[in-house]
């Protein structure tokens, strides 16, 4: 048997084999019955795509079904560079074809409910039975936290899930008159990607400084200080006198008609272009399925297996989790995806789960060519993830930017290659 | 499912629980955290991160110890090196040494490779004509590593920013000072091309 034939079979183990014979794209109804052991993964982002791939790598006898509504993956890390025009959105957009090569059954569908007792996921009118479920739905926005936002979702851009909104925000920035005011609002922690808003501040400020020197950028931060890499960002901002940073300025109201936001203190701030990053919680399916804790926002998990503390056989990874001393970053979600995959495979094979800890490598671009970074490493102590060390770059440089490019190419390949 | 397909699946061992898989064994699960930058099984896909697959265990261990001690300064590697020491550097060294290495996928510039080949004799005194190094003298294998990583390490030696004060590295640092930066890039391209 040739290698390619064997790979074709690897791609189509379990239920999928009959589908290939029938020559049709997979549908939910094709997975209504489960013949062998099956893992269902909800969400094809940094956590879910990685977990799906690594379950297959760890044990190709396990069928993996990945539910992801989007046909393409767009990376949030690096997407701030689209706003400054340094990168195109296409350069960070990937399809799921290589996951299919690993034998992952990718369904571009939305999971609408989880039934923990029946061990099945509802998708449309159909159900997918599972042995173990990995939930990686990312974040959802708490629209109701800002008055006027729910009704203006399509006009007030978050650009906090990379994709069409990123491109539209870049277009608005480019179209703004020189002398215009760009307002960026930052939600209270915890939110996806702690340094992300401050990197965005750098990219917008760099763009304005080089293209629209009479314009300014007002940053309204709900937090009392920069949440991440504060000293490094403040040093970078010394190059951008066009930034007006206001800490402890939580935005509570938006009026797109008047082009105005209102802070908790009652200050009204006018804008020409607005980027409002709303407060966040775990992805909708995690809330609907009662995987979130008493805060109704985030999911608590076992630190070794990522199994939900509330429901057996359901694992939660990525930005939806809480309780580990890790940031909500793509790198952490990728690490959780791999650890969870190995844990799930070992549990399905009745083997002990080895102790594994995540890591966090996080670069931020502070201009068109320079970057800074923070790195966190972890160990397991008493069954919990504990930080060993956090290290920052001593300053900003082109070398860290080159390392950032190397990191991005590597980790995109690790998830989707 | 047709019977013939079922028998094929059985023949391929795809129906039952797997025996020891590629992610089993000492060091393998703990090494997964490395793959974000160094690639699956240490097969780096990038220009800046070295390939760990097939790396000699003594060199992996020395590198981790030097990063953890701050002798090789790297804000990225220092925390991770401490994590590796926490989980067992010998197991992870053995895991990566056992992975089959394929050369870096980074595209090389053939003209630079040829210029590097012509200049490479100065490296071979220690690293050997093959470039595979000499464990007895603590000299590592250069071959097939990404050119960006090789060039960066040479620049660090030249600036005395890698393991300052290390007597063993005096010779290489003195040599690096005699080589123009452009030629370091050519040498990196050449050694990356060697199999």
């Amino acid at each position: 048997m040739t290698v390619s034939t064997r790979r074709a079979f690897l791609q189509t183990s379990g239920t999928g084999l009959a589908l290939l014979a029938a020559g049709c794209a997979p549908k939910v109804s094709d997975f209504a019955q489960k013949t062998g052991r099956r893992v269902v993964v909800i969400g094809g982002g940094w956590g879910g795509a990685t977990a799906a791939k690594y379950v297959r790598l760890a044990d190709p006898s396990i069928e993996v079904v990945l539910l992801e509504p989007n046909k393409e993956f767009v990376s949030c890390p690096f997407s701030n560079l689209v706003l400054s025009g340094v990168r195109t959105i296409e350069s960070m957009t990937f399809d799921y074809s290589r996951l299919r090569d690993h034998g992952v059954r990718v369904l571009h569908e939305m999971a609408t409910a989880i039934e923990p007792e029946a061990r099945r996921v509802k998708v449309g009118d159909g159900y997918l039975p599972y042995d173990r479920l990995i939930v990686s739905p990312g974040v959802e926005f708490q629209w109701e936290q800002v008055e006027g936002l729910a009704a203006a979702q399509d006009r007030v851009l978050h650009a906090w899930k990379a994709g069409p909104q990123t491109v539209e925000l870049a277009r608005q920035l480019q179209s703004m008159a020189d002398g215009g005011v760009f307002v960026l609002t930052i939600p209270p922690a915890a939110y996806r990607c702690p340094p992300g808003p401050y990197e965005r501040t750098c990219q917008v400020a760099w763009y304005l400084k080089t293209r629209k020197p009479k314009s300014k950028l007002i940053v309204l931060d709900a937090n009392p200080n920069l949440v991440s890499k504060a000293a490094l960002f403040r040093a970078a901002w010394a190059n951008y006198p066009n930034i007006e940073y206001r800490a402890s300025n939580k935005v509570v109201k938006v009026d797109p008609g008047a082009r105005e936001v209102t802070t908790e203190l009652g200050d009204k701030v006018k804008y020409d272009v607005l980027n409002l990053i709303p407060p966040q919680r775990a992805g909708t399916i995690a809330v609907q399925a009662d995987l979130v804790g008493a805060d109704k926002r985030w999911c608590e998990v076992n630190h070794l297996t990522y199994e939900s503390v509330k429901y057996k056989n359901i694992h939660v990874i990525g930005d939806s989790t809480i309780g580990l001393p890790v940031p909500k970053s793509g790198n952490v979600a990728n690490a959780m995806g791999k650890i969870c995959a190995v844990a799930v495979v070992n549990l399905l094979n009745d083997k002990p789960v080895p102790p594994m800890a995540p890591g966090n490598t996080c670069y931020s671009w502070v201009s068109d060519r320079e970057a800074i970074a923070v790195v966190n490493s972890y160990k397991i102590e008493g069954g919990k993830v504990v930080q060993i060390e956090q290290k920052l770059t001593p300053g900003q440089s082109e070398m860290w930017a080159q390392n950032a490019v190397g990191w991005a190419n590597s980790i995109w390949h690790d998830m989707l290659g | 499912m047709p019977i013939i397909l079922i028998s094929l699946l059985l023949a391929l061992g795809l129906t039952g629980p797997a025996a020891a898989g590629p992610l089993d064994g000492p060091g393998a699960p703990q090494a997964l955290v490395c793959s974000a930058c160094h690639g699956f099984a240490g097969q780096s896909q990038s220009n800046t991160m070295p390939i760990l697959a097939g790396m000699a265990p003594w060199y992996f261990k020395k590198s981790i110890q030097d990063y953890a001690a701050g002798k090789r300064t790297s804000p990225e590697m220092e925390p991770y090196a401490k994590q590796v020491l926490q989980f067992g550097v010998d197991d992870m060294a053995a895991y990566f040494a056992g992975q089959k290495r394929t050369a870096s996928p980074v595209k090389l510039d053939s003209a630079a490779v040829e210029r590097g080949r012509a200049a490479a004799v100065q490296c071979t005194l220690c690293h050997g004509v093959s470039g595979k190094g000499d464990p007895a003298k603590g000299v590592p294998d250069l071959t097939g590593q990404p050119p960006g990583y090789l060039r960066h390490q040479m620049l660090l030696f030249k600036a005395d920013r890698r393991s300052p004060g290390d007597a063993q590295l005096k010779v290489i640092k003195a040599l690096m000072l005699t080589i123009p930066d452009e030629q370091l890039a050519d040498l990196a391209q050449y050694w990356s091309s060697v199999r």
Side-chain angles (χ1 to χ4, degrees):
Chain A
M1 184 178 283
T2 65
V3 171
S4 61
T5 314
R6 181 162 199 267
R7 192 159 104 167
F9 274 97
L10 285 170
Q11 283 173 34
T12 52
S13 64
T15 314
L17 195 57
L19 302 176
L20 189 78
C24 45
K27 307 186 293 289
V28 174
S29 56
D30 298 329
F31 298 92
Q33 302 297 323
K34 190 169 68 63
T35 52
R37 297 170 308 157
R38 177 190 287 166
V39 172
V40 173
V41 182
I42 298 177
W46 289 78
T50 306
K53 172 179 167 178
Y54 273 83
V55 169
R56 293 287 303 169
L57 285 174
D59 187 345
S61 75
I62 297 172
E63 184 180 45
V64 176
V65 182
L66 173 64
L67 296 167
E68 167 54 52
N70 295 309
K71 294 258 165 69
E72 289 182 319
F73 166 88
V74 186
S75 174
C76 282
F78 274 52
S79 68
N80 282 330
L81 295 175
V82 175
L83 302 180
S84 50
V86 173
R87 279 244 183 182
T88 63
I89 196 91
E90 290 78 20
S91 74
M92 58 198 75
T93 301
F94 307 94
D95 66 26
Y96 290 95
S97 57
R98 287 287 292 129
L99 286 190
R100 292 188 177 92
D101 292 348
H102 286 289
V104 177
R105 310 299 302 177
V106 184
L107 290 180
H108 294 298
E109 302 281 353
M110 175 90 84
T112 52
I114 299 168
E115 296 182 6
E117 296 301 322
R119 276 202 263 172
R120 60 183 192 172
V121 176
K122 187 160 194 255
V123 183
D125 295 331
Y127 289 92
L128 294 180
Y130 61 80
D131 294 287
R132 287 198 175 256
L133 175 67
I134 299 174
V135 183
S136 186
V139 295
E140 187 48 82
F141 299 115
Q142 295 179 298
W143 308 104
E144 72 287 355
Q145 298 278 319
V146 179
E147 187 185 336
L149 183 57
Q153 278 178 38
D154 51 340
R155 282 172 293 159
V156 177
L157 299 175
H158 55 77
W160 213 239
K161 295 180 180 184
Q165 287 220 356
T166 315
V167 175
E168 173 57 18
L169 186 59
R171 193 196 62 75
Q172 289 188 9
L173 176 60
Q174 286 155 19
S175 308
M176 189 174 80
D178 191 7
V181 175
F182 187 108
V183 170
L184 168 64
T185 83
I186 305 173
Y191 58 83
R192 162 178 283 177
C193 188
Y198 311 107
E199 180 192 57
R200 181 167 290 184
T201 299
C202 293
Q203 290 304 307
V204 172
W206 176 84
Y207 177 84
L208 294 177
K209 184 181 171 182
T210 51
R211 302 292 171 84
K212 299 180 198 291
K214 292 180 206 151
S215 295
K216 77 171 171 183
L217 163 60
I218 299 175
V219 180
L220 301 174
D221 192 343
N223 303 287
N225 192 8
L226 289 83
V227 174
S228 173
K229 304 175 193 165
L232 286 167
F233 277 119
R234 287 204 184 263
W237 289 355
N239 296 315
Y240 305 118
N242 54 3
I243 297 173
E244 186 182 320
Y245 175 73
R246 302 184 195 171
S248 302
N249 266 249
K250 185 179 174 185
V251 167
V252 293
K253 184 179 172 186
V254 60
D255 183 346
R259 303 184 86 77
E260 186 179 85
V261 291
T262 307
T263 70
E264 207 170 22
L265 301 170
D267 293 343
K268 293 183 188 307
V269 181
K270 292 271 189 192
Y271 62 81
D272 293 293
V273 175
L274 173 65
N275 177 202
L276 191 156
I277 305 170
Q280 293 155 37
R281 58 166 169 78
T284 300
I285 187 76
V287 178
Q288 280 179 355
D290 188 34
L291 292 165
V292 291
D295 64 357
K296 301 287 179 205
R297 287 178 76 191
W298 309 111
C299 309
E300 203 182 323
V301 294
N302 178 295
H303 288 207
L304 294 173
T305 63
Y306 296 87
E307 190 165 33
S308 164
V309 298
K310 297 180 82 174
Y311 293 99
K312 287 275 163 216
N313 305 309
I314 300 178
H315 302 249
V316 186
I317 55 173
D319 290 346
S320 283
T321 60
I322 195 91
L324 291 85
V326 298
K328 297 189 186 303
S329 77
N331 199 115
V332 164
N334 165 266
M336 287 179 174
K338 288 181 278 194
I339 296 168
C340 182
V342 169
V344 161
V345 167
N346 278 276
L347 290 166
L348 286 174
N349 287 324
D350 294 321
K351 289 181 184 172
V353 175
M356 294 170 281
N360 179 53
T361 310
C362 169
Y363 296 94
S364 300
W365 291 74
V366 295
S367 71
D368 60 327
R369 64 194 63 204
E370 291 191 310
I372 57 179
V374 63
V375 178
N376 310 72
S377 61
Y378 302 93
K379 60 183 174 182
I380 301 292
E381 212 169 74
K384 297 283 183 191
V385 172
V386 175
Q387 180 169 292
I388 297 172
E389 184 177 48
Q390 170 170 286
K391 196 94 186 168
L392 292 148
T393 53
Q396 63 192 59
S397 78
E398 292 188 24
M399 188 182 77
W400 310 124
Q402 286 164 16
N403 287 359
V405 172
W407 168 84
N409 289 334
S410 294
I411 201 162
W412 289 334
H413 189 271
D414 197 37
M415 297 163 56
L416 294 161
Chain B
M1 194 183 293
I3 285 166
I4 185 164
L5 294 180
I6 292 172
S7 28
L8 273 169
L9 281 175
L10 287 170
L12 289 165
L14 294 181
T15 49
L23 304 184
D24 289 336
Q30 289 77 25
L32 285 175
V33 74
C34 313
S35 72
C37 289
H38 291 279
F40 178 64
Q43 191 56 58
S44 172
Q45 299 294 310
S46 92
N47 192 22
T48 44
M49 285 75 162
I51 298 170
L52 305 179
M55 182 176 274
W58 71 267
Y59 189 66
F60 180 90
K61 191 171 178 178
K62 176 172 168 45
S63 300
I64 290 296
Q65 287 169 337
D66 286 354
Y67 278 124
K71 289 182 191 166
R72 288 179 76 170
T73 50
S74 163
E76 290 103 325
M77 274 312 298
E78 186 178 329
Y80 282 117
K82 290 172 183 168
Q83 184 161 337
V84 171
L85 292 176
Q86 189 76 37
F87 281 100
V89 64
D90 290 318
D91 282 347
M92 285 167 81
Y95 165 74
F96 282 119
Q99 303 305 309
K100 186 176 168 2
R101 173 182 293 199
T102 52
S104 168
V106 175
K107 206 173 175 313
L108 299 174
D109 170 356
S110 55
V113 169
E114 287 314 310
R115 288 194 302 272
R117 187 193 308 278
V121 67
Q122 55 200 329
C123 313
T124 59
L125 275 177
C126 294
H127 290 275
V129 177
S130 69
K132 301 286 181 192
D134 183 352
K137 293 182 186 155
V139 180
D141 183 353
L142 303 174
T143 61
Q145 287 289 1
Y149 169 73
L150 290 174
R151 176 175 167 275
H152 184 58
Q153 295 309 307
M154 288 190 273
L155 288 170
L156 289 178
F157 282 131
K158 191 172 181 176
D160 195 18
R161 285 174 55 193
R162 182 169 155 174
S163 303
D166 186 329
Q168 258 198 313
L169 297 172
K170 265 190 175 166
V171 175
I172 189 171
K173 286 173 182 172
L175 174 65
M176 289 299 163
L177 283 171
T178 69
I179 306 175
D181 287 1
E182 313 83 68
Q183 197 178 77
L184 294 181
D186 293 342
L187 289 169
Q189 291 270 326
Y190 170 67
W191 288 115
S192 182
S193 79
V194 175
R195 300 294 173 259

